[in-house]
Amino acid sequence: MTTASEKTANTPLLEVRDAVKVYGGGFLSGGRRVHALREVSLSLDATPARITAVAGESGSGKSTLAGAVLGFVQLDAGHVLFEGQDVAAMSRNQRFNYRRSVQAIFQDPYAVFNPFFHTDHLFNLVMRRFGIAKGRKAARARIVEALETVGLRSDDVLGKHPHQLSGGQRQRIMIARACMMAPKLIVADEPVSMVDASLRSTILDIMLRLRDDNNISFLYITHDLSTAYQICDDIHIFYQGAQVESGPVDAVLGNAKHPYTQLLIASIPEPDPTRGWGTQLPPDDENNDRDIINGCPFYPRCPKRMEQCVAHLPARVSLDDTGHQVACHLFVK
C-alpha cells in the first residue's frame, strides 16, 4: 500500500497532460484554425532538480506551452498539474502559493520593466506582495543576496532606471527577482536570445548553478539546440504544436530518430567558413494545402512521408528504457 509520503515523493513537480490549444476558427479569423498544441504531455520530476528544454522553430507551440504552465493561456483540453494539483482548479490561496513557486524569465527583459521606476521598485513590489522579508533592513539584505547570486553588485544596478542598464544586466535582474522568491520551478522563455554571446554563457551558467545549488528546476523554451545540449537534462522537440521526439538530451540530439529532429540538427551550420551550411529543412510544397488536422503536421515537409501519416497523429513510442520517445509512424508497429 502506498503511503501519503511515498505518493508525495513520486508526484511530479510539473505535469502536462494531453494539452490542446487551438486558435482561430471564428468569424474574424476567416475560419482558419491553428493548432498551437496537439495533445502535448510532459512531466518534470520533483527531485533532483532538472533543466528540461522545449525546442523547435517559430510557431511550434513552445511559448503557448509556457503560457499554459504560467496560467496565461487557457487550454481547450487537457490539464496542467503542479505537485499533483490542477492549476485551473486551484483555490485563491493555492494559486497564490503557485505564483510564488513558479516564476518566469522572458525573452525581452526591457519589456518587463516600468521605465518610470527605478529597479528597486521591481524588488520592493515582490517583497510587499509576497511578504518575503520583514523590515527594510531584511528586505535590503535579501535583494543584495539575490543580486550577488547572479553576479551583480547592488551599487551598480539599484537606484537606476532600466534604460541605464545593459540588456545582460536587465536579464540578470529578472533572474535575481525570480530567485528571491525561492521558487521550485522557473519557466525561462528564450532567456538568452536577446543578449550578446559573451553574456549568454554567463546566464546559462547561472541556470546551472541554480539547478545544482538551489534545487530549482527549469522549463527552458528555446530554438537553439546548441544551448539546450549544453545545459539541459531532457528535451522535447516540437513541430507545429506536436511533440515529435523527447527524452534525455544526449539520446535525442545524439541519436535523433524523427525526420524533423534529424533535419533540424543537420541544418545547424558548422563553425567552418570554408564549408556550406549543409542540409536545410525542405520548404513546404503543394502538399501543404492538404488539411493536416488529425495527422502528423510534418507530413508536407517530411522526406519519409507515407499516406497513413495524414490519417492520424502518430502515438509516442518508447525506443528504450532511458525515456527516449518518438512520435512517428516509422516506429509505430
Side-chain angles (χ1 to χ4, degrees):
M1 187 177 191
T2 303
T3 65
S5 60
E6 290 174 334
K7 183 178 180 180
T8 302
N10 295 329
T11 300
L13 177 66
L14 177 73
E15 187 176 6
V16 179
R17 293 181 183 172
D18 301 322
V20 175
K21 181 62 180 177
V22 181
Y23 292 105
F27 174 76
L28 295 178
S29 60
R32 186 173 185 272
R33 293 162 60 86
V34 177
H35 289 71
L37 295 175
R38 305 172 186 247
E39 301 178 19
V40 169
S41 296
L42 58 83
S43 177
L44 278 67
D45 291 336
T47 55
R50 299 175 71 81
I51 301 178
T52 300
V54 176
E57 61 189 66
S58 298
S60 61
K62 308 185 302 296
S63 293
T64 299
L65 177 65
V69 171
L70 293 169
F72 301 154
V73 174
Q74 183 177 359
L75 296 174
D76 295 318
H79 303 275
V80 175
L81 294 89
F82 182 74
E83 296 183 327
Q85 177 67 41
D86 192 330
V87 174
M90 284 182 174
S91 65
R92 184 175 181 179
N93 288 337
Q94 288 173 328
R95 187 169 292 275
F96 179 85
N97 292 328
Y98 178 71
R99 293 297 184 200
R100 181 167 181 169
S101 297
V102 180
Q103 289 293 297
I105 304 170
F106 298 105
Q107 180 177 11
D108 183 2
Y110 191 77
V112 179
F113 289 89
N114 187 325
F116 295 102
F117 290 101
H118 293 133
T119 54
D120 309 50
H121 177 74
L122 187 71
F123 294 101
N124 294 333
L125 190 65
V126 172
M127 288 285 183
R128 292 194 301 269
R129 179 72 177 86
F130 292 94
I132 295 175
K134 295 183 178 179
R136 184 173 298 179
K137 186 176 180 180
R140 176 76 180 193
R142 189 72 176 265
I143 294 171
V144 171
E145 180 185 7
L147 289 171
E148 290 177 347
T149 300
V150 298
L152 291 174
R153 295 174 61 244
S154 58
D155 293 340
D156 293 338
V157 297
L158 295 180
K160 294 185 177 181
H161 286 93
H163 72 270
Q164 295 175 295
L165 304 174
S166 69
Q169 286 176 317
R170 291 193 292 261
Q171 191 62 290
R172 282 184 284 170
I173 286 174
M174 294 309 303
I175 299 174
R177 180 203 57 80
C179 291
M180 196 172 62
M181 307 280 286
K184 297 178 181 179
L185 173 68
I186 292 179
V187 179
D189 192 353
E190 302 275 12
V192 297
S193 64
M194 295 187 69
V195 298
D196 57 45
S198 62
L199 286 170
R200 192 170 301 169
S201 60
T202 299
I203 293 175
L204 294 175
D205 182 64
I206 290 171
M207 292 172 62
L208 288 170
R209 286 191 286 108
L210 291 176
R211 179 197 65 183
D212 297 336
D213 300 340
N214 297 64
N215 199 38
I216 298 175
S217 291
F218 284 82
L219 187 64
Y220 176 47
I221 311 299
T222 185
H223 66 274
D224 188 344
L225 294 184
S226 61
T227 60
Y229 186 77
Q230 181 181 348
I231 69 167
C232 293
D233 303 293
D234 307 293
I235 189 169
H236 298 260
I237 304 295
F238 276 48
Y239 182 78
Q240 291 189 9
Q243 203 172 355
V244 299
E245 192 162 0
S246 61
V249 68
D250 289 335
V252 174
L253 299 185
N255 188 27
K257 296 300 184 183
H258 196 280
Y260 173 66
T261 311
Q262 293 172 346
L263 289 169
L264 198 63
I265 294 171
S267 68
I268 299 175
E270 296 184 29
D272 184 351
T274 64
R275 301 187 63 178
W277 281 25
T279 304
Q280 302 294 318
L281 282 174
D284 292 353
D285 59 16
E286 67 279 0
N287 289 280
N288 202 29
D289 293 334
R290 303 182 66 170
D291 194 10
I292 313 297
I293 295 178
N294 299 317
C296 176
F298 191 56
Y299 173 87
R301 302 169 73 179
C302 183
K304 301 178 181 179
R305 62 191 178 205
M306 302 175 287
E307 195 60 31
Q308 66 206 63
C309 301
V310 184
H312 57 274
L313 193 68
R316 295 168 64 187
V317 177
S318 295
L319 301 176
D320 49 43
D321 57 3
T322 67
H324 190 181
Q325 295 184 327
V326 62
C328 180
H329 284 292
L330 293 171
F331 299 90
V332 178
K333 296 181 180 179

